[in-house]
Amino acid sequence: QVQLVESGGGLVQAGGSLRLSCAASGRSIYTRGWFRQAPGKEREFVAATRGGNNYYADSVKGRFTISRDNAKNTVYLQMNSLKPEDAAVYYCAADGPRGGNLYSPAAYAYWGQGTQVTVSS
C-alpha cells in the first residue's frame, strides 16, 4: 500500500510562485504525477515524471516544473508565474503506467488528499 501526503498549497497573487510537495510512504514508485481540479470541472493532468522524463500540460509548460527526490520518495511541483486560472485543488498521483498514456487520472492507482491553490488577480 502507498500513502501520499501533500503540502505546499496556499494563497498567492498572480505572478507569484508556490511549491507543492508529495511524500510517499512505502515502496518507490516509477511514475508519479500531478493533477488539478477546479470547481465544476473535471480533474485534469498537470505534470508527470516517469523514467527520468517529465511531461507537462500545454497550459503549464514553461511555468511549472516537476522534480523528484528518490531518496526522500518525494515529488515536487514548482509553480511560477501563477495565473488565476491555475487556481484549483492539486492532487499528486502515484503508480501510474510504466508505458502508454499517463495523462489520464484513471491510469494512477494512488492519490493524495489534495491541496488548495488560490491565485488572486
Side-chain angles (χ1 to χ4, degrees):
Q1 189 73 5
V2 172
Q3 290 186 325
L4 304 176
V5 178
E6 301 176 31
S7 60
L11 171 64
V12 65
Q13 287 189 330
S17 298
L18 284 174
R19 189 176 84 151
L20 306 182
S21 300
C22 177
S25 63
R27 57 181 172 81
S28 62
I29 303 160
Y30 188 69
T31 302
R32 300 185 67 172
W34 288 96
F35 288 75
R36 66 187 181 188
Q37 189 167 16
K41 294 188 176 182
E42 293 186 353
R43 191 167 298 190
E44 65 174 3
F45 172 80
V46 175
T49 179
R50 178 172 70 187
N53 296 311
N54 297 332
Y55 305 83
Y56 297 96
D58 288 343
S59 59
V60 307
K61 276 181 184 176
R63 300 188 298 122
F64 290 12
T65 302
I66 189 170
S67 62
R68 63 193 300 167
D69 183 335
N70 290 328
K72 296 181 178 179
N73 213 3
T74 297
V75 64
Y76 304 95
L77 185 68
Q78 177 68 43
M79 306 185 293
N80 298 330
S81 302
L82 281 160
K83 304 175 181 179
E85 52 263 42
D86 294 318
V89 177
Y90 282 69
Y91 297 90
C92 67
D95 216 17
R98 284 182 168 263
N101 180 15
L102 47 59
Y103 302 100
S104 169
Y108 294 79
Y110 301 99
W111 292 87
Q113 79 281 8
T115 185
Q116 178 71 50
V117 171
T118 304
V119 184
S120 63
S121 58

